[in-house]
């Protein structure tokens, strides 16, 4: 029998809300928390005006579409019944950064050369941080850069950036308001350095970091296969998509819906999203570009995880800051319309605004062989299976040879046209 969270998710996606009351084991619904984006006035601004932030700083993307949010949990439901519709619950939010933004913040804090546009963005970011008491989350930046420092112990950029962000907690706001171009800090440098070093050392070998590095590698494999299938130009886009679905399920052991949604968007409209520009344009450094894109997609997956990190009757609303317009574009394309979390089963479902049409396409393009593996037993087995990292590296090594051959061939073909 399907878990209640799976049943509810499917019914909501399909617009069958009148059937929610008839789910099996409804008592299990008490373990479910939901966040739904809405334009209805009944939604809350949660102390942070999503519209105001995106208007002032379009390079800041709320993970939830908004503009208002509806929250539900067992505690909220009980409070609503007892108070006639009023409830209190714990809510947390923070800014996460990509490595580019983190580097600009580091340069600003250390009074290094920085172009006026980026400097003004950093200043705007700090003003919003103060106004809404927003925290900063370094994990996305560190995920992308810690692997570099592990292979090159002389690379102090990640540590120096951690120091800079720690310093922001001691910013002299009165001096900042008088002259934001020369930030001043009220802190003991030795204590700050020790705190930053402790934070850095605790994460360099952290299992969580290595887990996300694995996820990035997994995504690289799928992007490489997508590129190979597209460059071969065999069959219709539906047939190409079917081939990629088979690759994910039959070779990697996962129905990778998140990565497959990106792939379908590209196959359906290759020129629509600038994020896929390196593939559509068959750039000379295509393999390098695809690896960077995999990390960008991993950042999005991390935001999903961050949005579920609190438990039971509390909620977390992440924001992502990126000065990269191409990445900001895909962030906005993937803002969540809905999040369901089952705290007991440690299971979650997310939906973007185009989720249901995509799932319909996924189903229609699935081969019979793959469809035969979509039963509940097989699906649960896939949830607990992770292909060994060495197998992924072996696949990538073979893919790289074929991808570079096809890319070179395509570039020659385009030059002759």
């Amino acid at each position: 029998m399907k878990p209640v969270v799976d049943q509810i998710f499917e019914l909501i996606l399909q617009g069958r809300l009148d059937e929610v009351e008839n789910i099996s084991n409804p008592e299990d619904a008490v373990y479910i928390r939901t966040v739904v984006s809405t334009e209805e006035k009944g939604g809350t601004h949660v102390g942070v005006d999503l519209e105001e932030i995106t208007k002032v700083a379009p390079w800041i993307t709320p993970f939830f579409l908004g503009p208002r949010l509806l929250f539900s949990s067992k505690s909220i439901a009980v409070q609503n019944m007892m108070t006639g519709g009023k409830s209190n619950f714990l809510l947390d939010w923070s800014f996460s950064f990509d490595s580019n933004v983190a580097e600009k913040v580091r340069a600003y804090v250390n009074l290094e050369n920085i172009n006026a546009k980026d400097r003004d963005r950093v200043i705007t970011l700090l003003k919003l941080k103060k106004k809404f008491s927003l925290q900063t989350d370094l994990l996305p930046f560190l995920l992308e850069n810690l692997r570099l420092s592990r292979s090159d112990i002389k690379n102090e950029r990640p540590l120096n950036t951690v120091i800079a962000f720690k310093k922001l907690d001691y910013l002299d706001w009165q001096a900042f308001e008088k002259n934001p171009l020369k930030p001043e800090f009220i802190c003991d440098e030795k204590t700050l350095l020790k705190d930053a070093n402790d934070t850095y050392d605790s994460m360099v070998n952290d299992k969580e970091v290595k887990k996300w590095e694995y996820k990035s590698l997994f995504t690289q494999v799928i992007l490489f296969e997508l590129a190979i299938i597209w460059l071969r130009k065999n069959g219709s886009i539906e047939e190409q998509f079917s081939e990629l679905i088979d690759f994910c399920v039959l070779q990697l052991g996962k129905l990778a819906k998140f990565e497959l949604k990106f792939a379908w968007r590209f196959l359906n409209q290759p020129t629509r999203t600038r994020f896929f520009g390196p593939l559509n344009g068959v750039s000379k450094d295509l393999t390098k570009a695809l690896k960077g894109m995999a990390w960008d997609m991993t950042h999005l997956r991390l935001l999903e995880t961050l949005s579920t990190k609190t438990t039971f009757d509390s909620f977390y609303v992440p924001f992502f800051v990126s000065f990269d317009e191409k990445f900001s574009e895909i962030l906005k394309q993937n803002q969540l319309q809905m999040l369901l979390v089952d705290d007991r089963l440690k299971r979650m479902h997310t939906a973007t605004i185009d989720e249901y049409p995509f799932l319909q396409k996924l189903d229609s393009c699935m081969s019979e062989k793959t469809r035969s593996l979509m039963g509940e037993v097989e699906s649960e087995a896939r949830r607990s299976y992770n292909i060994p990292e060495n197998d992924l590296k072996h696949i990538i090594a073979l893919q790289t040879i074929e991808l570079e051959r096809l890319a070179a061939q395509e570039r020659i073909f385009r030059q002759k046209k």
Side-chain angles (χ1 to χ4, degrees):
M1 184 180 297
K2 285 185 178 180
V4 167
V5 68
D6 295 3
Q7 297 178 54
I8 293 176
F9 181 71
E10 290 180 7
L11 292 173
I12 293 176
L13 271 186
Q14 297 168 16
R16 296 156 55 196
L17 299 181
D18 56 325
E19 298 179 37
V20 171
E21 294 182 356
N22 301 320
I23 58 174
S24 58
N25 298 331
E27 64 275 9
D28 290 346
V30 299
Y31 302 106
I32 297 174
R33 291 177 293 133
T34 65
V35 184
V36 179
S37 295
T38 181
E39 295 183 356
E40 299 296 327
K41 292 182 179 180
T44 177
H45 280 304
V46 300
V48 179
D49 191 326
L50 304 185
E51 289 179 301
E52 177 184 348
I53 287 179
T54 53
K55 184 177 181 180
V56 173
W59 30 269
I60 297 177
T61 306
F63 190 50
F64 291 97
L65 181 62
R68 297 180 179 89
L69 301 174
L70 289 172
F71 297 87
S72 69
S73 68
K74 176 181 65 176
S75 175
I76 290 174
V78 171
Q79 289 182 65
N80 284 344
M81 291 178 62
M82 296 177 65
T83 64
K86 296 180 180 180
S87 59
N88 295 311
F89 55 92
L90 296 174
L91 182 66
D92 195 9
W93 50 78
S94 73
F95 285 156
S96 298
F97 306 84
D98 64 15
S99 58
N100 181 36
V101 173
E103 180 65 15
K104 303 304 181 188
V105 171
R106 186 198 62 75
Y108 170 81
V109 168
N110 294 327
L111 300 178
E112 297 177 7
N113 289 331
I114 180 174
N115 69 59
K117 184 177 181 181
D118 287 336
R119 180 199 64 212
D120 291 344
R121 284 172 166 175
V122 172
I123 291 171
T124 299
L125 179 63
L126 293 178
K127 289 179 179 178
L128 289 171
K129 171 179 168 61
K130 183 175 187 294
K131 181 175 182 179
F132 295 112
S133 300
L134 288 162
Q135 304 173 54
T136 55
D137 194 326
L138 288 174
L139 189 55
F141 158 74
L142 288 172
L143 281 176
E144 191 174 357
N145 285 272
L146 283 177
R147 70 189 194 280
L148 302 178
S149 62
R150 283 206 298 264
S151 59
D152 179 9
I153 59 174
K154 294 181 180 179
N155 179 12
E156 296 184 345
R157 174 175 155 181
L159 174 59
N160 290 335
T161 304
V162 171
I163 293 171
F165 274 88
K166 290 285 184 181
K167 228 174 178 180
L168 291 179
D169 293 333
Y170 303 96
L171 181 63
D172 185 332
W173 288 106
Q174 288 186 338
F176 174 81
E177 289 171 0
K178 292 178 181 178
N179 185 7
L181 300 182
K182 291 185 178 181
E184 298 178 17
F185 303 91
I186 308 170
C187 61
D188 178 72
E189 292 288 339
K190 289 184 178 180
T191 302
L192 178 69
L193 184 59
K194 183 181 183 305
D195 186 21
N197 269 295
D198 289 345
T199 299
Y200 177 77
D201 290 341
S202 69
M203 298 196 68
V204 169
N205 296 305
D206 192 271
K207 290 182 180 179
E208 186 73 7
V209 173
K210 292 180 179 179
K211 180 185 81 172
W212 287 102
E213 289 178 338
Y214 172 88
K215 288 182 181 293
S216 177
L217 183 65
F218 181 84
T219 302
Q220 286 177 37
V221 171
I222 297 176
L223 288 180
F224 274 39
E225 193 67 19
L226 167 65
I228 290 170
I229 292 171
W230 184 70
L231 287 168
R232 283 176 178 162
K233 304 177 183 179
N234 294 331
S236 65
I237 59 173
E238 285 80 10
E239 290 170 329
Q240 292 173 5
F241 190 44
S242 178
E243 184 178 348
L244 186 61
I245 297 170
D246 280 351
F247 172 78
C248 290
V249 175
L250 304 179
Q251 230 178 306
L252 302 183
K254 293 284 189 184
L255 181 61
K257 292 181 182 178
F258 177 81
E259 290 82 2
L260 286 169
K261 187 191 297 184
F262 273 79
W264 172 248
R265 286 173 179 162
F266 170 73
L267 290 172
N268 191 38
Q269 293 181 302
T271 61
R272 180 185 177 187
T273 305
R274 287 181 294 173
F275 178 69
F276 277 100
L279 177 52
N280 186 55
V282 195
S283 66
K284 290 183 179 180
D285 57 349
L286 181 57
T287 56
K288 180 180 178 181
L290 290 173
K291 289 178 181 179
M293 291 161 62
W295 268 110
D296 287 342
M297 291 168 65
T298 302
H299 284 157
L300 285 176
R301 295 305 299 269
L302 175 59
L303 288 180
E304 282 189 356
T305 301
L306 289 175
S307 67
T308 67
K309 74 175 187 178
T310 51
T311 57
F312 294 102
D313 296 314
S314 60
F315 296 87
Y316 183 85
V317 179
F319 295 76
F320 202 88
V321 186
S322 177
F323 297 161
D324 182 339
E325 293 183 359
K326 290 187 293 184
F327 185 48
S328 291
E329 183 178 275
I330 66 158
L331 282 168
K332 289 176 172 60
Q333 288 176 356
N334 288 277
Q335 286 176 292
L336 289 193
Q337 181 72 27
M338 175 176 59
L339 166 72
L340 274 75
V341 182
D342 188 317
D343 287 311
R344 185 181 62 164
L345 298 180
K346 305 299 180 184
R347 201 171 189 137
M348 76 170 181
H349 289 291
T350 59
T352 55
I353 199 166
D354 61 347
E355 193 73 24
Y356 188 49
F358 162 71
L359 292 178
Q360 289 178 306
K361 179 58 66 176
L362 182 68
D363 181 69
S364 67
C365 291
M366 199 173 288
S367 69
E368 289 305 315
K369 185 174 183 179
T370 294
R371 191 183 303 280
S372 69
L373 300 174
M374 291 298 113
E376 289 184 35
V377 174
E378 293 88 350
S379 296
E380 287 302 319
R382 281 194 298 274
R383 284 182 180 273
S384 60
Y385 173 75
N386 288 307
I387 183 172
E389 184 174 343
N390 285 337
D391 289 1
L392 289 177
K393 290 179 178 178
H394 177 68
I395 294 171
I396 280 185
L398 297 176
Q399 287 176 322
T400 300
I401 296 171
E402 177 66 0
L403 179 56
E404 290 179 348
R405 183 188 70 81
L406 289 169
Q409 180 179 291
E410 177 65 17
R411 284 192 290 269
I412 291 173
F413 173 75
R414 293 186 181 190
Q415 288 173 359
K416 291 180 178 179
K417 289 181 69 175

